[in-house]
Amino acid sequence: MSAKSLFSLDGKVALVTGASSGIGLAIATGLAGAGARVVLLARRQAELEAAAGTLNDRRPGSAAALPCNLSDRKELIAAAARSATFFGAPDILVNCAGINLRKPAMELTPEDWDAHLRLNLDAPHFLTRELVPAMIERRWGRIINIASLQSVRAFADSIPYGTTKGGLMQLTRAQAQAWSRHGINANAIAPGFFPTDLTAPVTRDPARWQAMADKTFIGRNGELDELHGVAIFLASDASSFITGQTIFVDGGFSAG
């Protein structure tokens, strides 16, 4: 197999959650650029349709918008079924949607805790479970979970976020154990600091943003298009013998 075909996603269908902006949209853009047809799923319909429109302007017929509130389990299950109506059943699932409310520990409410669990951990599990049967039939599938630096270390004011991202890293291992023998590889990407809605409280503060950059080996924070390569790699045949792993794309932050 040639190097080009190893990384090609021609003929593949990807479902990307949290795809209206930030990391989710960056990954969807990368997968579409490698040849996949991409179903973008997010809660904000206007932003979602705009994102799909941009991808379709670049390659007509490459993207579709699927509005869904993943915190609602009934809505999630309905969206999983509907995802196959655009281009066929997804071969690739990217679980990116998430929240980080950033509150001091003693100010967290039970509702805050539950909201993080539903979106950051429950949704990746239940959405994957809905899509796996079709992947098993084809003997090919890719699950890519978006973990975090907080999967392995603590940051201030982020107890429920860090807890769910640590759980997502373990969920990735468990999914790999359950389904890799059926041709479905499960891996995670743990991004460092990138300019997104979730990191806006940091990016708006030049001193804090620079402090994060100073903790990397490279000496800067990430640009969103730097996530394209690792996403294409994990979604393609190039990663056929890699499963249950978490790849940190963080400029060396986690290695320091």
Side-chain angles (χ1 to χ4, degrees):
M1 184 178 289
S2 68
K4 183 177 180 180
S5 61
L6 269 177
F7 290 91
S8 172
L9 298 179
D10 288 344
K12 301 299 185 185
V13 177
L15 173 62
V16 182
T17 75
S20 59
S21 64
I23 288 173
L25 179 56
I27 288 176
T29 300
L31 299 183
R37 290 176 292 176
V38 184
V39 180
L40 310 180
L41 187 153
R43 182 171 49 85
R44 298 176 296 182
Q45 184 167 355
E47 292 90 334
L48 192 64
E49 291 178 351
T54 298
L55 293 184
N56 283 323
D57 287 343
R58 297 176 183 175
R59 184 162 68 91
S62 64
L66 177 57
C68 175
N69 176 10
L70 289 172
S71 295
D72 184 320
R73 198 167 295 167
K74 289 183 180 179
E75 196 170 330
L76 178 156
I77 291 171
R82 191 178 168 208
S83 68
T85 65
F86 299 99
F87 307 119
D91 307 282
I92 301 156
L93 170 62
V94 181
N95 289 305
C96 185
I99 59 169
N100 184 0
L101 296 180
R102 287 190 174 85
K103 287 186 178 182
M106 298 307 293
E107 295 179 15
L108 287 165
T109 67
E111 291 76 19
D112 294 333
W113 181 263
D114 290 345
H116 283 81
L117 286 176
R118 284 197 302 270
L119 187 56
N120 295 2
L121 196 52
D122 287 5
H125 167 65
F126 287 104
L127 187 57
T128 302
R129 197 175 71 169
E130 291 297 311
L131 298 182
V132 155
M135 296 180 186
I136 290 175
E137 285 187 14
R138 294 191 299 273
R139 300 288 304 176
W140 199 98
R142 296 289 186 269
I143 301 162
I144 303 173
N145 296 317
I146 304 305
S148 168
L149 290 172
Q150 295 197 52
S151 295
V152 294
R153 59 163 295 170
F155 284 77
D157 300 336
S158 292
I159 283 179
Y161 181 79
T163 300
T164 53
K165 288 300 182 177
L168 189 62
M169 192 172 176
Q170 177 56 29
L171 178 64
T172 302
R173 298 186 188 101
Q175 290 171 332
Q177 190 281 329
W179 295 312
S180 294
R181 291 182 183 274
H182 300 284
I184 304 166
N185 291 5
N187 292 290
I189 298 169
F193 281 88
F194 289 80
T196 69
D197 290 346
L198 280 182
T199 59
V202 181
T203 61
R204 287 195 295 259
D205 183 334
R208 290 179 68 191
W209 191 239
Q210 185 59 47
M212 295 300 102
D214 290 343
K215 292 181 180 180
T216 70
F217 292 165
I218 292 177
R220 63 174 175 84
N221 295 309
E223 299 294 335
L224 285 169
D225 60 6
E226 292 180 299
L227 292 165
H228 292 183
V230 67
I232 293 167
F233 171 64
L234 291 178
S236 69
D237 284 329
S239 60
S240 59
F241 199 56
I242 298 173
T243 194
Q245 305 304 308
T246 299
I247 298 178
F248 285 79
V249 184
D250 62 2
F253 191 113
S254 60

